[in-house]
Amino acid sequence: MSLSDKILKLKKEKKAVILAHNYQRPEIQDIADYVGDSIELSRKASDEQDAEIIVFSAVDFMAESAAILNPDKKVLLPCLGARCPMAQMLTVDEIRRAKKLYPNAPVVLYVNTLASCKASCDICCTSANAVEVIKSLDSDTVLFGPDKNLAEYVSEKTGKKLIPIPANGFCPTHLLFQVEDVKILKMQYPEAIAMVHPECSSEMRKAADFIGSTSKMCRFAKESHAKDFIVGTDEGILHRLRKENPQKNFYLAYEGAICPNMKLTTLDRLYTALKEEKNVVKVPEIVAKKARASLERMFEVKS
Ligand code: 13P
Ligand code: SF4
């Protein structure tokens, strides 16, 4: 029996569900019950009723959100070392300092943050709904963290002033993309459409034909009549894009754009975590309660 089949068997026996992010390895995406972006996975985790275990194949903050939103389920992160470096860039102290400087500005945090930070903000957002979340607020000045690029993008879209906390939070994987790579690919494939994630630099965003979250990119590629696409996000998304659009071509804007943390989830690690029911993600209820409120406020915003 293959390892994938063993996992599928075990999953049934243990009444588990596997949620996987669009950046996960192809073999993980193929055994998952659901593959999606961070907002979709949070909603799935929150709505899950039947399963007793949620195996969250992604990075720490996403699994934490699942544990916060559905505290009655056992949430497993196959590799506890799978951390998002951007999420580590913001601390509660930094939020406190910013609040002192701008006492009237609401604090909006990208879900790529630790639970303790989510507990200290007014509302969360993801790259799929950040524009709508900011628009939904009364204030024209907003404290926003930790991604400076996303802050810039949302500010351009809404005309509001977003003060980044920390001053320069970023995603090391999306920082690797360079406009020159897009230009070279456009020369090779003149009809190609460039899709990039809002975590990319402003230069990359300017060179893009479409900017959106990972699942928005998948939807856009499916609905577009174009045949060739240049992709500015982690390479893991290519598996889903190619699977859903076998007649279309997808070219990664930079071959080295691989989030090492997302790739820490392997079949081996997932199997062991599920078999031993280990790597349980726990968030103390005192933190979870406040963080849940910030996430639920985000769900209420129409996007
Ligand atoms: P999405 O919500 O677009 O899937 O993005 C999550 C992420 O970590 C991007 O680097
Ligand atoms: Fe974090 Fe960047 Fe990896 Fe997304 S791609 S999980 S933001 S390090």
Side-chain angles (χ1 to χ4, degrees):
M1 200 190 260
S2 73
L3 195 47
S4 297
D5 287 337
K6 278 189 186 172
I7 293 171
L8 292 175
K9 185 168 173 276
L10 198 57
K11 185 171 80 89
K12 230 184 200 170
E13 288 166 9
K14 290 194 179 253
K15 280 187 131 194
V17 68
I18 300 175
L19 303 184
H21 187 264
N22 288 320
Y23 295 160
Q24 288 290 285
R25 292 169 183 269
E27 60 274 24
I28 300 286
Q29 294 190 30
D30 288 345
I31 55 158
D33 294 277
Y34 189 80
V35 181
D37 67 6
S38 42
I39 182 88
E40 291 169 339
L41 295 178
S42 285
R43 280 194 199 277
K44 280 276 165 198
S46 174
D47 295 346
E48 183 55 52
Q49 290 187 353
D50 302 334
E52 282 164 20
I53 297 174
I54 299 175
V55 183
F56 214 101
S57 300
V59 287
D60 56 353
F61 73 85
M62 297 188 188
E64 257 188 6
S65 292
I68 290 166
L69 289 164
N70 207 336
D72 296 336
K73 306 290 173 195
K74 200 180 249 184
V75 177
L76 308 179
L77 181 63
C79 177
L80 284 182
R83 295 185 154 180
C84 167
M86 185 204 279
Q88 313 285 326
M89 289 177 193
L90 183 64
T91 61
V92 174
D93 275 351
E94 190 110 30
I95 300 172
R96 273 196 208 120
R97 277 199 293 274
K99 272 186 181 173
K100 267 194 189 146
L101 290 173
Y102 300 91
N104 299 321
V107 180
V108 180
L109 293 188
Y110 193 24
V111 287
N112 297 39
T113 42
L114 304 175
S116 51
C117 289
K118 287 187 180 79
S120 310
C121 78
D122 294 297
I123 183 167
C124 290
C125 74
T126 76
S127 57
N129 60 19
V131 170
E132 290 78 7
V133 166
I134 296 296
K135 276 186 182 165
S136 76
L137 302 169
D138 282 340
S139 178
D140 281 336
T141 303
V142 176
L143 290 164
F144 188 96
D147 188 16
K148 193 181 176 204
N149 283 321
L150 183 61
E152 267 176 22
Y153 170 68
V154 176
S155 181
E156 285 156 20
K157 286 274 172 194
T158 61
K160 295 197 182 193
K161 183 177 176 186
L162 268 66
I163 298 156
I165 43 166
N168 196 18
F170 64 94
C171 162
T173 303
H174 285 86
L175 212 70
L176 295 171
F177 291 108
Q178 298 207 352
V179 179
E180 286 312 309
D181 299 322
V182 176
K183 283 186 185 157
I184 292 168
L185 280 167
K186 282 233 177 186
M187 277 192 260
Q188 281 176 275
Y189 309 102
E191 306 282 304
I193 300 280
M195 313 187 286
V196 313
H197 198 277
E199 288 176 14
C200 287
S201 67
S202 62
E203 291 79 12
M204 276 295 286
R205 295 197 309 273
K206 270 183 209 132
D209 302 293
F210 179 79
I211 302 166
S213 78
T214 55
S215 285
K216 282 194 174 174
M217 281 188 221
C218 292
R219 215 164 303 134
F220 176 79
K222 224 184 212 176
E223 289 166 5
S224 167
H225 294 301
K227 204 170 171 290
D228 297 332
F229 296 85
I230 297 163
V231 181
T233 197
D234 173 85
E235 60 94 40
I237 198 173
L238 295 178
H239 179 64
R240 181 171 165 194
L241 287 169
R242 288 174 178 151
K243 205 169 157 180
E244 292 180 351
N245 308 278
Q247 73 292 7
K248 297 181 181 178
N249 306 309
F250 298 94
Y251 308 99
L252 197 62
Y254 170 60
E255 290 297 329
I258 301 169
C259 172
N261 316 285
M262 280 285 182
K263 309 304 176 221
L264 285 171
T265 311
T266 58
L267 285 177
D268 255 326
R269 285 182 168 137
L270 197 158
Y271 178 69
T272 309
L274 183 55
K275 191 164 157 241
E276 296 174 15
E277 295 186 27
K278 66 170 197 173
N279 299 353
V280 180
V281 179
K282 285 201 177 110
V283 180
E285 185 50 27
I286 189 164
V287 175
K289 195 176 166 205
K290 289 185 183 163
R292 194 176 301 124
S294 306
L295 286 164
E296 282 171 353
R297 265 179 235 125
M298 165 181 81
F299 286 141
E300 282 160 22
V301 175
K302 278 216 163 61
S303 61

